[in-house]
Amino acid sequence: MGDNTAAQEIASGYATEGAALELGAVIVDGVVDPTARVRIPFATLNRHGLVAGATGTGKTKTLQGLAEQLSNAGVPVLLADVKGDLSGLARPGESNDKIASRSADTGDDWTPTAFPVEFLSLGGSSSAVPIRATVTQFGPILLGKVLDLNDTQESTLGLIFHWADKQGLPLLDTKDLRAVIQHLTSDEGKADLKGIGGVSSATAGVILRALVNLEAQGGEDFFGEPEFEPADLMRVGADGKGIVTLLELADQAANPRLFSTFLMWLLAELYEELPEAGDLDKPKLVFFFDEAHLLFADASKAFLERIEQTVKLIRSKGVGVFFCTQLPTDVPNAVLSQLGARIQHALRAFTPEDQTALSKTVRTYPRTEHYDMEQALTSLGIGEAIVTVLSERGAPTPVAWSRMRAPRSLMAAIGEDAVTAAAKSSPLFARYGQTVDRESAYETLTAKIAEAAPVEAPVDAPAPPPAREERAEPSFVEKAFGSPVVRSFLRSAASALGREITRGMFGTRRRR
C-alpha cells in the first residue's frame, strides 16, 4: 500500500485513555508503521492472556518485554524460566544494530535497563533460592496429577489424606505420606484402612509405587518445609518497581509435570488467600504459566473444571494469568475462551497435525479484511506476532500483525555465579534456604511401631518370677496410655478435633 491508512485503522482499536502496556507496531503488506501502536490496557490484564508460538519465533523475548513493562509499572511478576534464559532481566541490555533497527520500527525510545529479580527453584541443588510445599498443603488432587493417578486412585489418595487429617498426622514430606500408606497396608493398619471405606490395599499399593518413583525423580527434595508463602510473590522494591520472580526447574527437569502442577498450586493458593479486589487500574500480580500443555495433558474432567473455575474467579482478586505454550490448541476451549489477550507468534505447518492446529487457531480470531490469517500465521518473522486483546470497554481489538518491541534488559543468561550471588543476598534465602525436618507423620508412626514391637528376652536370662496374685498385670490399653509416645500422639489427635483441616478448590489445605 502506498499509505498507512490500514495500519492506522487497526491501531485506532488499540487507543486507550488509561495506562497501557506497549507491545509493538502494526505491519500491513510487509510495511511497519512506527506510529501505529499495539498495546494492552493495564486495566484489562486481569482478563488473562495467551502467548503462543513455535520454538525460535521470539516467544521468550515477548515474555521478557512484558515482564519489564509490568515491573516498571509497579506490578510484581512471576515467570517460569524453564530454559534458564530469562536471568538477563537482572542486567541492562546491550545496544546493537538489530536493537536500533527494532526500536526505529516500533517507535520505542529504547534505553538499557535492569530490573529487580528474585531467583527461585523447586528444591534441589540449584544456585537459586530453593522453595518447597508440604504434601498436606499441596493436597490430594494436585498430588494425584503429579503421580499420574487415575480417577479411582486419586479418590483413594483423597481418603488417605482425610484419614491423616483426622488423626492429626502432618504430611510434610514424601516420607510422611509413604509412612501413612505403609501403615494402612500393613497388618497393624488393616482396621484403619477398612475404616476409611472404599479403599483397597491394591490401589493403595499403586499409589505407594508412584510415590516411590516420584522420590527417585527428585520429588523428595521439593516436598517439605519451610513452606513457600505465595505472598512473597507480590513484593515491590524500594524504587517502586514490581519484583520479577524467576522460577527455574533445577533438579526437577526429569519431572516437568511436578513443575507445572506446582504453578497451579501457587495460583490456587493466591486465589484462596487474596481478598476480592474488583476492577483495578492495574493488576496486583501477573502470573506467566509457561509450558501450559503439561498442566492440561491427560488431565481429568474434574481437574480441568477446577482450573477453569480458578482462572475465572482469580481475576476478581486482581491477578492476571498468561498461559504460554506452542499451540493454542494445547489449552482447552473452556480456558481459552477466558483469555482476553492473544499474542500468537509463528506456527509451523509441516505435518497434517500441524495443519489441523493451524486451521483451528485461525477460527479463534476475529474476522479481518487486512490479513489472510492462515498465510499470516505461517509467515510471521522472528519477533513478530498476530495480536488481539480486550479494549478498555471490554471488546476485542482488531487483529494486528505486530512487530514486537525489543526487551531493554539483557537478552542472554547472566551465568550461575551471578544467580548464586543474587540468591544469597536475597531476604528470601534466610527464610527458605535451609530445609527443616520437624516431627510429623513419619516420626509419629515409626515411634508407634517401635513402642509396640515386643522385646525378646536374652536366651540365658532366668525365667521371670510368677506374678503375685494381688498385683494384676496392666492391660494393653493401660500400657498404651502410659506410653509417652502414644500420649503425645493422642494429644495431637485431640487438638485436631477442634481444628479439622479444611481444603480449598484443589484440595489444598486452607491456612488459618
Side-chain angles (χ1 to χ4, degrees):
M1 293 179 61
D3 57 46
N4 60 359
T5 304
Q8 291 295 327
E9 178 185 333
I10 293 170
S12 66
Y14 291 85
T16 62
E17 294 182 3
L21 190 156
E22 300 287 343
L23 295 178
V26 177
I27 298 175
V28 177
D29 291 338
V31 179
V32 60
D33 181 352
T35 66
R37 304 292 181 83
V38 179
R39 49 169 65 96
I40 308 176
F42 274 102
T44 66
L45 283 171
N46 68 335
R47 300 290 178 171
H48 313 317
L50 174 75
V51 179
T55 301
T57 58
K59 187 168 74 261
T60 300
K61 301 313 172 192
T62 291
L63 297 179
Q64 187 171 345
L66 295 177
E68 291 176 354
Q69 292 190 57
L70 288 164
S71 176
N72 263 338
V75 178
V77 177
L78 173 69
L79 272 170
D81 191 10
V82 176
K83 293 172 287 189
D85 50 8
L86 284 169
S87 58
L89 276 159
R91 298 275 178 85
E94 299 173 353
S95 181
N96 54 43
D97 291 343
K98 289 184 178 180
I99 294 290
S101 175
R102 177 73 57 149
S103 300
D105 286 346
T106 57
D108 179 20
D109 183 16
W110 189 89
T111 305
T113 311
F115 297 86
V117 177
E118 288 281 5
F119 297 96
L120 306 181
S121 68
L122 297 193
S125 56
S126 166
S127 53
V129 178
I131 60 173
R132 304 168 184 85
T134 64
V135 172
T136 286
Q137 186 69 30
F138 214 67
I141 297 174
L142 293 174
L143 185 59
K145 172 68 174 175
V146 173
L147 297 177
D148 197 19
L149 304 182
N150 61 31
D151 290 347
T152 300
Q153 294 157 357
E154 182 184 292
S155 176
T156 297
L157 183 62
L159 291 172
I160 292 171
F161 268 72
H162 179 70
W163 182 83
D165 290 351
K166 286 289 189 179
Q167 300 301 317
L169 294 173
L171 303 177
L172 304 182
D173 50 30
T174 54
K175 72 177 185 295
D176 289 324
L177 181 57
R178 179 160 37 86
V180 167
I181 297 174
Q182 288 172 336
H183 165 74
L184 291 173
T185 53
S186 67
D187 291 338
E188 295 81 7
K190 284 182 178 178
D192 292 325
L193 185 65
K194 186 177 180 180
I196 295 177
V199 175
S200 72
S201 57
T203 302
V206 170
I207 297 172
L208 183 59
R209 288 191 293 274
L211 184 63
V212 171
N213 289 336
L214 175 64
E215 291 177 324
Q217 295 172 355
E220 62 182 346
D221 294 329
F222 164 64
F223 288 105
E225 290 185 315
E227 186 171 70
F228 184 68
E229 294 286 344
D232 285 327
L233 299 175
M234 306 184 69
R235 296 158 53 224
V236 176
D239 58 358
K241 290 184 178 180
I243 303 294
V244 179
T245 301
L246 291 184
L247 182 63
E248 64 177 50
L249 272 172
D251 294 341
Q252 304 304 328
N255 193 354
R257 187 188 296 266
L258 173 60
F259 184 75
S260 63
T261 310
F262 171 75
L263 291 177
M264 195 66 236
W265 173 75
L266 279 179
L267 198 60
E269 287 295 284
L270 288 167
Y271 167 72
E272 300 288 2
E273 292 186 12
L274 292 176
E276 292 289 326
D279 293 328
L280 302 174
D281 292 335
K282 62 183 180 181
K284 293 181 178 180
L285 171 74
V286 174
F287 195 107
F288 289 94
F289 211 124
D290 206 358
E291 300 295 332
H293 66 282
L294 297 172
L295 182 71
F296 300 113
D298 303 320
S300 67
K301 181 179 178 181
F303 188 81
L304 291 176
E305 287 175 349
R306 286 180 172 89
I307 295 174
E308 178 187 353
Q309 190 174 6
T310 302
V311 172
K312 182 183 297 183
L313 296 177
I314 202 168
R315 67 174 55 140
S316 67
K317 306 295 183 85
V319 176
V321 183
F322 276 72
F323 290 96
C324 310
T325 187
Q326 291 199 8
L327 296 171
T329 51
D330 293 335
V331 180
N333 289 334
V335 176
L336 194 62
S337 64
Q338 297 184 49
L339 308 183
R342 302 277 300 279
I343 303 172
Q344 176 66 63
H345 289 269
L347 290 175
R348 310 299 185 208
F350 299 140
T351 68
E353 291 77 11
D354 292 342
Q355 188 64 47
T356 299
L358 175 62
S359 298
K360 289 181 178 179
T361 301
V362 168
R363 292 197 296 271
T364 64
Y365 278 91
R367 294 181 62 85
T368 173
E369 62 184 47
H370 302 294
Y371 309 112
D372 177 336
M373 287 297 294
E374 191 163 314
Q375 187 270 339
L377 286 169
T378 56
S379 303
L380 291 163
I382 297 174
E384 296 178 354
I386 295 294
V387 177
T388 182
V389 306
L390 289 181
S391 68
E392 286 179 322
R393 60 187 183 88
T397 59
V399 173
W401 183 330
S402 176
R403 182 159 296 168
M404 307 297 285
R405 287 190 170 196
R408 300 187 175 194
S409 56
L410 185 66
M411 290 189 282
I414 62 174
E416 187 173 337
D417 291 343
V419 172
T420 301
K424 292 291 178 64
S425 63
S426 167
L428 298 184
F429 189 82
R431 296 179 57 183
Y432 303 117
Q434 298 297 323
T435 305
V436 176
D437 189 11
R438 64 183 173 92
E439 183 175 340
S440 49
Y442 172 80
E443 289 78 12
T444 300
L445 292 173
T446 301
K448 187 177 179 183
I449 293 170
E451 182 72 21
V455 179
E456 296 184 5
V459 175
D460 298 331
R468 295 173 59 184
E469 293 184 3
E470 66 271 20
R471 185 178 180 184
E473 185 72 17
S475 68
F476 173 79
V477 174
E478 291 172 322
K479 286 182 179 179
F481 277 91
S483 164
V485 174
V486 174
R487 286 203 305 269
S488 174
F489 171 75
L490 291 174
R491 280 197 300 270
S492 297
S495 63
L497 292 177
R499 53 170 179 78
E500 180 182 349
I501 292 176
T502 59
R503 295 189 175 274
M505 191 182 304
F506 275 92
T508 55
R509 190 193 72 219
R510 297 291 300 276
R511 287 186 174 88
R512 295 272 181 170

